[in-house]
Amino acid sequence: MGFVRPRIFTWHIHGSYLYYLSKGNYDIYIPVKEEKSEGYYGRGETFPFGDNVHEVPVEKINDLDFDCILFQSKKNYLHDQHEILSEEKRQLPKIYLEHDPPWQHPTDARHVVDDPEVLIVHVTHFNSLMWDNNNSPFKVIEHGVTEPQAKYTGELEKGIVVINNLPTRGRLLGLDIFLEVRKHIPLDLVGMGTEDLGLGEVLHPQLPDFISKYRFFFNPIRYTSHGLAVCEALMLGIPVIGMATTEMPMVISNDINGYVHTDIQKLVQKMKELLQSRQMATELGAGGRKTALERFNIQRFANDWEETIKHVIATFRPMLFSN
């Protein structure tokens, strides 16, 4: 009997993550509604998904066979599954992909999942450490990103910040830090909802080429998960400057593959040095690219997910109905 590709049902929550997730050897089925509400957008037109990502109209979901359910948000887990999945489908093996650190309290927030039959997958060891995972099994699968065709050049004597909706997301995403640093350093900002402070959205497929010309990448975020945008910047070879918080100190070693600190003035000083020396920026970015190739390569990511999905399907089999 030959290999049968696992069939995963999930929701379209984070487009870039779903795109990288789709690089594994399995089929992904995502629900779609006519009104394209949260989680029900379908494939969309932003990401070049392969033919292993399938749209399924919500009314036809329960006519198909799946091997595993992958939740990606509290809404998926508490509401969506009960609204669109049959009782039989809800007995399938389950994974909850937790994209974020705890918001309510950094150490005492209990995860929404409290079920020994549901595996929680965290995207960083910091997140796993901070969440109270209750009685649920959990593991970490770090990000993986593809290698871009664009090459770092760094001829623009500016820094680039890539954050969606920064003007409305405040201190958590470092709006005040961005505004303070911009008083001293030329910075551009791109992302959805950034027109008032920056250049607006640059679509994901065009982003590597766009940012490759900037001297450095600045990540002012205080407290979120380790951003895919940071991994993508490292893979591109643009030097990364950021806050020494959450997972960043476990990824960046100062003056080897980037630079992080909690003192904004030290960050500004490092930015000035990079603006003065394109050679220094190139060497620092090369160190970051080496880290990305070793730690965030897409094949390692796909292998981790393939192994995890196979394990969950084999271990957490559907329970038999008592009636």
Side-chain angles (χ1 to χ4, degrees):
M1 184 175 179
F3 171 76
V4 178
R5 283 162 61 96
R7 296 157 297 186
I8 313 305
F9 179 84
T10 191
W11 288 260
H12 185 163
I13 301 298
H14 298 286
S16 54
Y17 194 98
L18 184 64
Y19 172 66
Y20 293 128
L21 183 66
S22 71
K23 296 301 182 180
N25 189 18
Y26 36 72
D27 285 287
I28 298 174
Y29 295 81
I30 53 174
V32 61
K33 291 182 178 179
E34 189 174 346
E35 67 270 22
K36 307 292 186 183
S37 55
E38 178 187 347
Y40 299 91
Y41 312 111
R43 288 164 56 102
E45 298 179 356
T46 300
F47 299 93
F49 290 113
D51 58 9
N52 66 327
V53 178
H54 312 273
E55 291 185 349
V56 184
V58 289
E59 62 272 14
K60 295 185 177 180
I61 291 168
N62 293 307
D63 296 334
L64 301 179
D65 291 326
F66 308 118
D67 298 302
C68 182
I69 307 299
L70 176 64
F71 303 102
Q72 299 191 59
S73 73
K74 186 183 294 187
K75 180 175 178 289
N76 291 167
Y77 188 72
L78 295 179
H79 304 291
D80 290 329
Q81 68 164 322
H82 300 286
E83 292 175 359
I84 66 172
L85 298 179
S86 66
E87 184 176 1
E88 180 181 8
K89 289 289 189 289
R90 295 198 303 274
Q91 304 305 315
L92 289 170
K94 303 176 185 70
I95 300 172
Y96 189 110
L97 170 57
E98 178 53 72
H99 290 279
D100 298 310
W103 300 128
Q104 296 86 355
H105 190 282
T107 61
D108 295 347
R110 297 183 61 184
H111 201 272
V112 64
V113 177
D114 187 1
D115 187 340
E117 296 292 324
V118 180
L119 175 69
I120 301 174
V121 172
H122 294 287
V123 300
T124 72
H125 289 280
F126 177 87
N127 293 3
S128 178
L129 175 71
M130 303 309 281
W131 274 109
D132 180 344
N133 294 291
N134 302 305
N135 297 301
S136 304
F138 60 92
K139 68 177 297 184
V140 174
I141 298 180
E142 293 191 323
H143 289 323
V145 297
T146 54
E147 294 185 55
Q149 291 185 339
K151 303 298 182 184
Y152 171 68
T153 58
E155 69 261 28
L156 283 181
E157 295 183 356
K158 291 182 175 183
I160 184 67
V161 176
V162 181
I163 301 176
N164 288 329
N165 303 305
L166 179 59
T168 61
R169 297 170 78 182
R171 285 177 55 83
L172 191 73
L173 276 291
L175 173 61
D176 60 313
I177 297 172
F178 167 75
L179 293 174
E180 174 60 28
V181 171
R182 198 165 68 167
K183 295 176 183 176
H184 311 280
I185 300 290
L187 289 177
D188 281 344
L189 168 68
V190 297
M192 291 186 294
T194 62
E195 290 79 6
D196 290 344
L197 285 180
L199 305 178
E201 183 179 11
V202 176
L203 294 179
H204 188 265
Q206 284 79 53
L207 197 58
D209 184 65
F210 183 88
I211 70 173
S212 66
K213 301 172 180 62
Y214 286 83
R215 186 63 53 85
F216 63 86
F217 179 101
F218 177 43
N219 185 54
I221 297 175
R222 278 188 174 87
Y223 186 78
T224 65
S225 193
H226 191 66
L228 277 169
V230 172
C231 297
E232 291 163 347
L234 289 168
M235 190 66 81
L236 175 64
I238 179 173
V240 171
I241 310 297
M243 310 308 299
T245 58
T246 63
E247 194 73 8
M248 287 288 280
M250 297 296 101
V251 175
I252 302 296
S253 298
N254 283 351
D255 296 321
I256 296 174
N257 63 354
Y259 190 85
V260 294
H261 212 289
T262 52
D263 184 339
I264 295 172
Q265 296 309 311
K266 285 187 168 55
L267 297 179
V268 169
Q269 179 57 40
K270 180 57 62 175
M271 293 176 193
K272 289 179 178 178
E273 292 174 10
L274 295 178
L275 292 177
Q276 292 167 2
S277 175
R278 190 170 170 184
Q279 180 63 30
M280 178 190 294
T282 300
E283 292 173 359
L284 198 59
R289 177 168 163 76
K290 182 175 184 291
T291 295
L293 288 168
E294 293 171 352
R295 186 165 173 179
F296 301 117
N297 73 81
I298 196 65
Q299 193 56 57
R300 189 276 308 157
F301 177 76
N303 290 345
D304 284 355
W305 267 109
E306 289 169 16
E307 292 172 5
T308 297
I309 288 167
K310 290 176 186 176
H311 171 75
V312 167
I313 292 172
T315 305
F316 301 108
R317 298 187 181 280
M319 294 180 292
L320 296 175
F321 294 113
S322 58
N323 57 349

Short mmCIF file of all heavy atoms in Angstrom, two decimals, residues 166-223:
data_model
loop_
_atom_site.label_atom_id
_atom_site.label_comp_id
_atom_site.label_asym_id
_atom_site.label_seq_id
_atom_site.Cartn_x
_atom_site.Cartn_y
_atom_site.Cartn_z
N LEU A 166 0.02 49.44 11.67
CA LEU A 166 0.79 49.96 12.81
C LEU A 166 0.12 51.17 13.46
O LEU A 166 0.11 51.26 14.69
CB LEU A 166 2.21 50.29 12.38
CG LEU A 166 3.12 50.87 13.47
CD1 LEU A 166 3.26 49.91 14.64
CD2 LEU A 166 4.50 51.21 12.90
N PRO A 167 -0.45 52.12 12.70
CA PRO A 167 -1.03 53.30 13.36
C PRO A 167 -2.13 52.98 14.37
O PRO A 167 -2.35 53.74 15.32
CB PRO A 167 -1.59 54.12 12.18
CG PRO A 167 -0.75 53.72 11.02
CD PRO A 167 -0.47 52.26 11.23
N THR A 168 -2.83 51.86 14.20
CA THR A 168 -3.93 51.52 15.11
C THR A 168 -3.54 50.47 16.14
O THR A 168 -4.35 50.15 17.02
CB THR A 168 -5.14 51.01 14.31
OG1 THR A 168 -4.76 49.82 13.59
CG2 THR A 168 -5.64 52.05 13.35
N ARG A 169 -2.32 49.95 16.06
CA ARG A 169 -1.94 48.85 16.96
C ARG A 169 -1.03 49.30 18.10
O ARG A 169 -0.67 48.50 18.97
CB ARG A 169 -1.30 47.72 16.15
CG ARG A 169 -2.28 47.12 15.17
CD ARG A 169 -1.65 46.16 14.19
NE ARG A 169 -1.38 44.85 14.75
CZ ARG A 169 -0.80 43.86 14.10
NH1 ARG A 169 -0.39 44.05 12.84
NH2 ARG A 169 -0.59 42.69 14.69
N GLY A 170 -0.65 50.59 18.10
CA GLY A 170 -0.08 51.23 19.27
C GLY A 170 1.21 50.66 19.82
O GLY A 170 2.06 50.15 19.11
N ARG A 171 1.35 50.76 21.15
CA ARG A 171 2.60 50.42 21.83
C ARG A 171 2.98 48.96 21.67
O ARG A 171 4.17 48.64 21.61
CB ARG A 171 2.47 50.76 23.33
CG ARG A 171 2.56 52.24 23.63
CD ARG A 171 2.35 52.49 25.13
NE ARG A 171 3.27 51.74 25.95
CZ ARG A 171 4.52 52.13 26.24
NH1 ARG A 171 5.00 53.26 25.75
NH2 ARG A 171 5.29 51.38 27.01
N LEU A 172 2.01 48.08 21.63
CA LEU A 172 2.30 46.65 21.50
C LEU A 172 3.19 46.38 20.29
O LEU A 172 4.17 45.64 20.37
CB LEU A 172 0.99 45.86 21.37
CG LEU A 172 1.11 44.35 21.49
CD1 LEU A 172 1.38 43.94 22.93
CD2 LEU A 172 -0.16 43.67 20.99
N LEU A 173 2.86 47.01 19.18
CA LEU A 173 3.63 46.83 17.94
C LEU A 173 4.72 47.88 17.79
O LEU A 173 5.42 47.91 16.78
CB LEU A 173 2.70 46.87 16.74
CG LEU A 173 1.98 45.58 16.33
CD1 LEU A 173 2.96 44.56 15.78
CD2 LEU A 173 1.19 44.97 17.48
N GLY A 174 4.87 48.76 18.78
CA GLY A 174 5.99 49.71 18.79
C GLY A 174 5.76 50.98 17.99
O GLY A 174 6.72 51.56 17.47
N LEU A 175 4.52 51.45 17.91
CA LEU A 175 4.25 52.69 17.18
C LEU A 175 5.08 53.84 17.74
O LEU A 175 5.69 54.61 16.98
CB LEU A 175 2.76 53.04 17.25
CG LEU A 175 2.35 54.39 16.67
CD1 LEU A 175 2.69 54.49 15.20
CD2 LEU A 175 0.87 54.66 16.91
N ASP A 176 5.12 53.97 19.06
CA ASP A 176 5.88 55.06 19.68
C ASP A 176 7.38 54.92 19.41
O ASP A 176 8.08 55.92 19.22
CB ASP A 176 5.60 55.11 21.19
CG ASP A 176 5.99 53.82 21.89
OD1 ASP A 176 5.63 52.73 21.39
OD2 ASP A 176 6.65 53.88 22.94
N ILE A 177 7.87 53.69 19.38
CA ILE A 177 9.30 53.46 19.10
C ILE A 177 9.61 53.85 17.66
O ILE A 177 10.62 54.52 17.39
CB ILE A 177 9.65 51.98 19.35
CG1 ILE A 177 9.45 51.63 20.82
CG2 ILE A 177 11.10 51.71 18.94
CD1 ILE A 177 9.59 50.16 21.14
N PHE A 178 8.75 53.46 16.74
CA PHE A 178 8.92 53.83 15.33
C PHE A 178 8.97 55.34 15.18
O PHE A 178 9.86 55.88 14.49
CB PHE A 178 7.78 53.24 14.50
CG PHE A 178 7.70 53.79 13.11
CD1 PHE A 178 8.59 53.40 12.12
CD2 PHE A 178 6.71 54.72 12.78
CE1 PHE A 178 8.51 53.92 10.83
CE2 PHE A 178 6.62 55.24 11.51
CZ PHE A 178 7.52 54.85 10.52
N LEU A 179 8.03 56.04 15.82
CA LEU A 179 7.97 57.50 15.68
C LEU A 179 9.20 58.17 16.29
O LEU A 179 9.71 59.16 15.75
CB LEU A 179 6.69 58.03 16.34
CG LEU A 179 5.38 57.61 15.65
CD1 LEU A 179 4.18 58.08 16.47
CD2 LEU A 179 5.31 58.17 14.23
N GLU A 180 9.68 57.63 17.41
CA GLU A 180 10.87 58.20 18.05
C GLU A 180 12.11 57.97 17.20
O GLU A 180 12.89 58.90 16.96
CB GLU A 180 11.06 57.58 19.43
CG GLU A 180 12.35 58.00 20.15
CD GLU A 180 12.44 59.50 20.40
OE1 GLU A 180 11.38 60.15 20.53
OE2 GLU A 180 13.57 60.01 20.45
N VAL A 181 12.29 56.76 16.71
CA VAL A 181 13.48 56.45 15.90
C VAL A 181 13.47 57.26 14.61
O VAL A 181 14.53 57.72 14.13
CB VAL A 181 13.56 54.94 15.61
CG1 VAL A 181 14.66 54.63 14.60
CG2 VAL A 181 13.81 54.17 16.91
N ARG A 182 12.28 57.49 14.06
CA ARG A 182 12.19 58.22 12.79
C ARG A 182 12.61 59.69 12.94
O ARG A 182 12.89 60.36 11.93
CB ARG A 182 10.78 58.12 12.23
CG ARG A 182 10.71 58.46 10.75
CD ARG A 182 9.44 58.03 10.09
NE ARG A 182 8.29 58.80 10.56
CZ ARG A 182 7.10 58.79 9.96
NH1 ARG A 182 6.90 58.05 8.88
NH2 ARG A 182 6.09 59.49 10.45
N LYS A 183 12.66 60.19 14.16
CA LYS A 183 13.17 61.54 14.37
C LYS A 183 14.68 61.62 14.10
O LYS A 183 15.20 62.70 13.82
CB LYS A 183 12.91 61.98 15.82
CG LYS A 183 11.45 62.13 16.18
CD LYS A 183 11.31 62.48 17.67
CE LYS A 183 9.86 62.57 18.10
NZ LYS A 183 9.74 62.82 19.58
N HIS A 184 15.35 60.49 14.21
CA HIS A 184 16.81 60.46 14.11
C HIS A 184 17.34 59.71 12.88
O HIS A 184 18.48 59.95 12.47
CB HIS A 184 17.40 59.80 15.37
CG HIS A 184 16.85 60.35 16.64
ND1 HIS A 184 17.29 61.52 17.20
CD2 HIS A 184 15.86 59.88 17.47
CE1 HIS A 184 16.62 61.76 18.32
NE2 HIS A 184 15.75 60.78 18.51
N ILE A 185 16.50 58.82 12.35
CA ILE A 185 16.93 57.92 11.27
C ILE A 185 15.88 57.94 10.16
O ILE A 185 14.68 57.85 10.44
CB ILE A 185 17.09 56.47 11.79
CG1 ILE A 185 18.12 56.41 12.90
CG2 ILE A 185 17.44 55.52 10.65
CD1 ILE A 185 19.55 56.62 12.47
N PRO A 186 16.28 58.02 8.89
CA PRO A 186 15.29 57.92 7.81
C PRO A 186 14.70 56.51 7.74
O PRO A 186 15.43 55.54 7.55
CB PRO A 186 16.09 58.26 6.55
CG PRO A 186 17.51 57.99 6.90
CD PRO A 186 17.65 58.26 8.36
N LEU A 187 13.38 56.43 7.94
CA LEU A 187 12.69 55.15 7.95
C LEU A 187 11.47 55.21 7.05
O LEU A 187 10.71 56.19 7.08
CB LEU A 187 12.20 54.78 9.36
CG LEU A 187 13.22 54.38 10.43
CD1 LEU A 187 12.49 54.14 11.75
CD2 LEU A 187 13.98 53.13 10.03
N ASP A 188 11.24 54.18 6.27
CA ASP A 188 9.99 54.01 5.54
C ASP A 188 9.20 52.88 6.19
O ASP A 188 9.77 51.95 6.77
CB ASP A 188 10.26 53.66 4.07
CG ASP A 188 10.63 54.89 3.24
OD1 ASP A 188 10.40 56.02 3.72
OD2 ASP A 188 11.16 54.71 2.13
N LEU A 189 7.88 52.98 6.07
CA LEU A 189 6.96 52.00 6.65
C LEU A 189 6.04 51.47 5.55
O LEU A 189 5.47 52.26 4.79
CB LEU A 189 6.13 52.64 7.77
CG LEU A 189 4.92 51.87 8.29
CD1 LEU A 189 5.37 50.60 9.04
CD2 LEU A 189 4.07 52.76 9.20
N VAL A 190 5.92 50.14 5.45
CA VAL A 190 4.96 49.55 4.52
C VAL A 190 4.08 48.57 5.27
O VAL A 190 4.46 48.03 6.31
CB VAL A 190 5.66 48.84 3.34
CG1 VAL A 190 6.45 49.83 2.50
CG2 VAL A 190 6.53 47.70 3.81
N GLY A 191 2.90 48.35 4.72
CA GLY A 191 1.95 47.43 5.32
C GLY A 191 0.53 47.93 5.12
O GLY A 191 0.32 49.12 4.83
N MET A 192 -0.42 47.05 5.27
CA MET A 192 -1.82 47.46 5.17
C MET A 192 -2.13 48.53 6.21
O MET A 192 -1.66 48.46 7.34
CB MET A 192 -2.73 46.25 5.38
CG MET A 192 -2.69 45.22 4.28
SD MET A 192 -3.91 43.90 4.51
CE MET A 192 -3.29 43.11 6.01
N GLY A 193 -2.91 49.52 5.82
CA GLY A 193 -3.34 50.54 6.77
C GLY A 193 -2.26 51.48 7.24
O GLY A 193 -2.37 52.07 8.31
N THR A 194 -1.19 51.64 6.46
CA THR A 194 -0.08 52.50 6.89
C THR A 194 0.04 53.77 6.05
O THR A 194 1.04 54.48 6.14
CB THR A 194 1.26 51.75 6.82
OG1 THR A 194 1.52 51.36 5.46
CG2 THR A 194 1.23 50.50 7.69
N GLU A 195 -0.98 54.06 5.25
CA GLU A 195 -0.87 55.18 4.32
C GLU A 195 -0.59 56.51 5.03
O GLU A 195 0.13 57.36 4.49
CB GLU A 195 -2.15 55.29 3.48
CG GLU A 195 -2.33 54.18 2.47
CD GLU A 195 -2.86 52.88 3.10
OE1 GLU A 195 -3.20 52.90 4.32
OE2 GLU A 195 -2.94 51.87 2.40
N ASP A 196 -1.15 56.72 6.22
CA ASP A 196 -0.96 58.00 6.91
C ASP A 196 0.46 58.19 7.43
O ASP A 196 0.95 59.31 7.54
CB ASP A 196 -1.95 58.11 8.08
CG ASP A 196 -3.38 58.28 7.61
OD1 ASP A 196 -3.58 58.62 6.43
OD2 ASP A 196 -4.30 58.06 8.42
N LEU A 197 1.13 57.08 7.75
CA LEU A 197 2.49 57.16 8.29
C LEU A 197 3.55 56.63 7.34
O LEU A 197 4.75 56.86 7.55
CB LEU A 197 2.59 56.35 9.60
CG LEU A 197 1.96 56.95 10.85
CD1 LEU A 197 2.15 56.00 12.03
CD2 LEU A 197 2.55 58.31 11.18
N GLY A 198 3.12 55.91 6.31
CA GLY A 198 4.09 55.27 5.44
C GLY A 198 3.65 55.17 4.01
O GLY A 198 2.94 56.05 3.50
N LEU A 199 4.01 54.08 3.37
CA LEU A 199 3.84 53.92 1.93
C LEU A 199 2.67 53.03 1.55
O LEU A 199 2.41 52.83 0.37
CB LEU A 199 5.13 53.35 1.32
CG LEU A 199 6.41 54.13 1.60
CD1 LEU A 199 7.60 53.41 0.98
CD2 LEU A 199 6.30 55.55 1.07
N GLY A 200 1.97 52.48 2.55
CA GLY A 200 0.85 51.60 2.25
C GLY A 200 1.30 50.17 2.02
O GLY A 200 2.44 49.78 2.29
N GLU A 201 0.40 49.36 1.49
CA GLU A 201 0.65 47.93 1.36
C GLU A 201 1.53 47.61 0.15
O GLU A 201 1.38 48.18 -0.92
CB GLU A 201 -0.67 47.17 1.22
CG GLU A 201 -0.51 45.65 1.15
CD GLU A 201 -1.83 44.92 1.04
OE1 GLU A 201 -2.86 45.57 0.82
OE2 GLU A 201 -1.82 43.68 1.19
N VAL A 202 2.45 46.68 0.36
CA VAL A 202 3.20 46.05 -0.72
C VAL A 202 2.84 44.57 -0.65
O VAL A 202 3.03 43.93 0.39
CB VAL A 202 4.72 46.23 -0.57
CG1 VAL A 202 5.46 45.46 -1.66
CG2 VAL A 202 5.09 47.71 -0.61
N LEU A 203 2.30 44.01 -1.73
CA LEU A 203 1.86 42.62 -1.70
C LEU A 203 3.02 41.68 -1.41
O LEU A 203 4.15 41.91 -1.82
CB LEU A 203 1.19 42.26 -3.02
CG LEU A 203 -0.13 42.97 -3.33
CD1 LEU A 203 -0.68 42.53 -4.67
CD2 LEU A 203 -1.16 42.74 -2.21
N HIS A 204 2.72 40.61 -0.71
CA HIS A 204 3.73 39.67 -0.23
C HIS A 204 4.69 39.19 -1.32
O HIS A 204 5.91 39.18 -1.10
CB HIS A 204 3.04 38.49 0.45
CG HIS A 204 3.97 37.56 1.15
ND1 HIS A 204 4.47 36.41 0.58
CD2 HIS A 204 4.52 37.62 2.40
CE1 HIS A 204 5.27 35.80 1.43
NE2 HIS A 204 5.31 36.51 2.54
N PRO A 205 4.22 38.81 -2.51
CA PRO A 205 5.16 38.34 -3.53
C PRO A 205 6.15 39.41 -3.99
O PRO A 205 7.24 39.08 -4.46
CB PRO A 205 4.25 37.90 -4.69
CG PRO A 205 2.94 37.59 -4.04
CD PRO A 205 2.82 38.59 -2.92
N GLN A 206 5.77 40.70 -3.88
CA GLN A 206 6.66 41.78 -4.32
C GLN A 206 7.54 42.33 -3.20
O GLN A 206 8.45 43.14 -3.44
CB GLN A 206 5.83 42.94 -4.90
CG GLN A 206 5.27 42.69 -6.29
CD GLN A 206 4.04 41.80 -6.27
OE1 GLN A 206 3.09 42.08 -5.56
NE2 GLN A 206 4.06 40.73 -7.06
N LEU A 207 7.29 41.87 -1.97
CA LEU A 207 7.97 42.47 -0.81
C LEU A 207 9.49 42.26 -0.81
O LEU A 207 10.23 43.21 -0.54
CB LEU A 207 7.35 41.93 0.48
CG LEU A 207 7.63 42.72 1.75
CD1 LEU A 207 7.18 44.17 1.63
CD2 LEU A 207 6.95 42.05 2.94
N PRO A 208 10.00 41.06 -1.09
CA PRO A 208 11.46 40.89 -1.05
C PRO A 208 12.20 41.85 -1.97
O PRO A 208 13.20 42.47 -1.58
CB PRO A 208 11.67 39.43 -1.48
CG PRO A 208 10.39 38.75 -1.12
CD PRO A 208 9.32 39.78 -1.37
N ASP A 209 11.72 41.99 -3.20
CA ASP A 209 12.38 42.89 -4.14
C ASP A 209 12.30 44.33 -3.66
O ASP A 209 13.26 45.10 -3.78
CB ASP A 209 11.75 42.75 -5.53
CG ASP A 209 12.48 43.59 -6.57
OD1 ASP A 209 13.66 43.29 -6.85
OD2 ASP A 209 11.88 44.55 -7.10
N PHE A 210 11.16 44.69 -3.06
CA PHE A 210 10.95 46.07 -2.60
C PHE A 210 11.91 46.43 -1.47
O PHE A 210 12.54 47.49 -1.49
CB PHE A 210 9.49 46.26 -2.15
CG PHE A 210 9.16 47.66 -1.73
CD1 PHE A 210 8.74 48.58 -2.67
CD2 PHE A 210 9.28 48.06 -0.41
CE1 PHE A 210 8.44 49.89 -2.29
CE2 PHE A 210 8.99 49.35 -0.02
CZ PHE A 210 8.57 50.27 -0.97
N ILE A 211 12.02 45.55 -0.48
CA ILE A 211 12.83 45.91 0.69
C ILE A 211 14.31 45.65 0.48
O ILE A 211 15.14 46.12 1.28
CB ILE A 211 12.34 45.18 1.97
CG1 ILE A 211 12.66 43.69 1.91
CG2 ILE A 211 10.87 45.42 2.20
CD1 ILE A 211 12.36 42.95 3.22
N SER A 212 14.68 44.92 -0.57
CA SER A 212 16.08 44.55 -0.78
C SER A 212 17.00 45.75 -0.98
O SER A 212 18.20 45.65 -0.76
CB SER A 212 16.21 43.62 -1.98
OG SER A 212 15.86 44.30 -3.18
N LYS A 213 16.42 46.89 -1.38
CA LYS A 213 17.23 48.07 -1.67
C LYS A 213 17.53 48.91 -0.42
O LYS A 213 18.37 49.80 -0.44
CB LYS A 213 16.53 48.93 -2.72
CG LYS A 213 16.28 48.18 -4.04
CD LYS A 213 15.41 48.99 -4.97
CE LYS A 213 15.17 48.25 -6.28
NZ LYS A 213 14.43 46.97 -6.06
N TYR A 214 16.79 48.64 0.67
CA TYR A 214 16.99 49.41 1.90
C TYR A 214 18.22 48.92 2.63
O TYR A 214 18.60 47.75 2.55
CB TYR A 214 15.75 49.29 2.80
CG TYR A 214 14.57 50.10 2.31
CD1 TYR A 214 13.72 49.60 1.33
CD2 TYR A 214 14.32 51.37 2.81
CE1 TYR A 214 12.64 50.35 0.88
CE2 TYR A 214 13.24 52.13 2.37
CZ TYR A 214 12.41 51.61 1.40
OH TYR A 214 11.34 52.35 0.94
N ARG A 215 18.85 49.82 3.40
CA ARG A 215 20.10 49.48 4.08
C ARG A 215 19.87 48.47 5.20
O ARG A 215 20.70 47.58 5.43
CB ARG A 215 20.75 50.76 4.63
CG ARG A 215 22.14 50.56 5.24
CD ARG A 215 23.16 50.08 4.21
NE ARG A 215 23.24 50.91 3.01
CZ ARG A 215 23.99 52.02 2.91
NH1 ARG A 215 24.75 52.42 3.93
NH2 ARG A 215 24.01 52.69 1.76
N PHE A 216 18.75 48.60 5.93
CA PHE A 216 18.47 47.66 7.02
C PHE A 216 16.96 47.53 7.24
O PHE A 216 16.17 48.35 6.78
CB PHE A 216 19.17 48.09 8.33
CG PHE A 216 18.69 49.41 8.88
CD1 PHE A 216 17.57 49.49 9.70
CD2 PHE A 216 19.37 50.59 8.57
CE1 PHE A 216 17.13 50.71 10.19
CE2 PHE A 216 18.94 51.81 9.06
CZ PHE A 216 17.81 51.88 9.87
N PHE A 217 16.59 46.47 7.94
CA PHE A 217 15.20 46.18 8.31
C PHE A 217 15.06 46.43 9.81
O PHE A 217 15.84 45.90 10.61
CB PHE A 217 14.91 44.71 7.99
CG PHE A 217 13.51 44.22 8.34
CD1 PHE A 217 12.54 44.11 7.36
CD2 PHE A 217 13.20 43.84 9.64
CE1 PHE A 217 11.28 43.63 7.67
CE2 PHE A 217 11.94 43.37 9.96
CZ PHE A 217 10.98 43.27 8.97
N PHE A 218 14.07 47.24 10.20
CA PHE A 218 13.87 47.55 11.61
C PHE A 218 12.55 46.97 12.10
O PHE A 218 11.50 47.17 11.49
CB PHE A 218 13.88 49.07 11.83
CG PHE A 218 13.61 49.49 13.25
CD1 PHE A 218 14.20 48.82 14.31
CD2 PHE A 218 12.79 50.58 13.53
CE1 PHE A 218 13.96 49.20 15.64
CE2 PHE A 218 12.55 50.98 14.84
CZ PHE A 218 13.13 50.28 15.89
N ASN A 219 12.62 46.24 13.21
CA ASN A 219 11.44 45.63 13.81
C ASN A 219 11.22 46.25 15.20
O ASN A 219 11.86 45.85 16.17
CB ASN A 219 11.64 44.12 13.94
CG ASN A 219 10.40 43.42 14.45
OD1 ASN A 219 9.33 43.57 13.88
ND2 ASN A 219 10.54 42.64 15.51
N PRO A 220 10.31 47.25 15.31
CA PRO A 220 10.12 47.96 16.58
C PRO A 220 9.16 47.27 17.54
O PRO A 220 8.83 47.82 18.60
CB PRO A 220 9.54 49.30 16.12
CG PRO A 220 8.70 48.94 14.93
CD PRO A 220 9.46 47.83 14.24
N ILE A 221 8.71 46.07 17.21
CA ILE A 221 7.64 45.40 17.97
C ILE A 221 8.12 45.00 19.36
O ILE A 221 9.17 44.38 19.53
CB ILE A 221 7.13 44.18 17.20
CG1 ILE A 221 6.51 44.62 15.87
CG2 ILE A 221 6.12 43.39 18.02
CD1 ILE A 221 6.07 43.47 14.98
N ARG A 222 7.30 45.38 20.37
CA ARG A 222 7.62 45.03 21.75
C ARG A 222 7.25 43.59 22.09
O ARG A 222 8.01 42.87 22.71
CB ARG A 222 6.83 45.94 22.72
CG ARG A 222 7.40 47.29 22.98
CD ARG A 222 6.60 47.98 24.10
NE ARG A 222 7.20 49.24 24.49
CZ ARG A 222 6.95 50.41 23.89
NH1 ARG A 222 6.10 50.45 22.87
NH2 ARG A 222 7.56 51.51 24.29
N TYR A 223 6.04 43.19 21.70
CA TYR A 223 5.51 41.93 22.24
C TYR A 223 4.53 41.30 21.25
O TYR A 223 3.34 41.59 21.27
CB TYR A 223 4.82 42.19 23.58
CG TYR A 223 4.35 40.94 24.30
CD1 TYR A 223 5.26 40.15 25.00
CD2 TYR A 223 3.02 40.57 24.29
CE1 TYR A 223 4.83 39.01 25.68
CE2 TYR A 223 2.58 39.43 24.97
CZ TYR A 223 3.49 38.66 25.66
OH TYR A 223 3.07 37.53 26.31
#
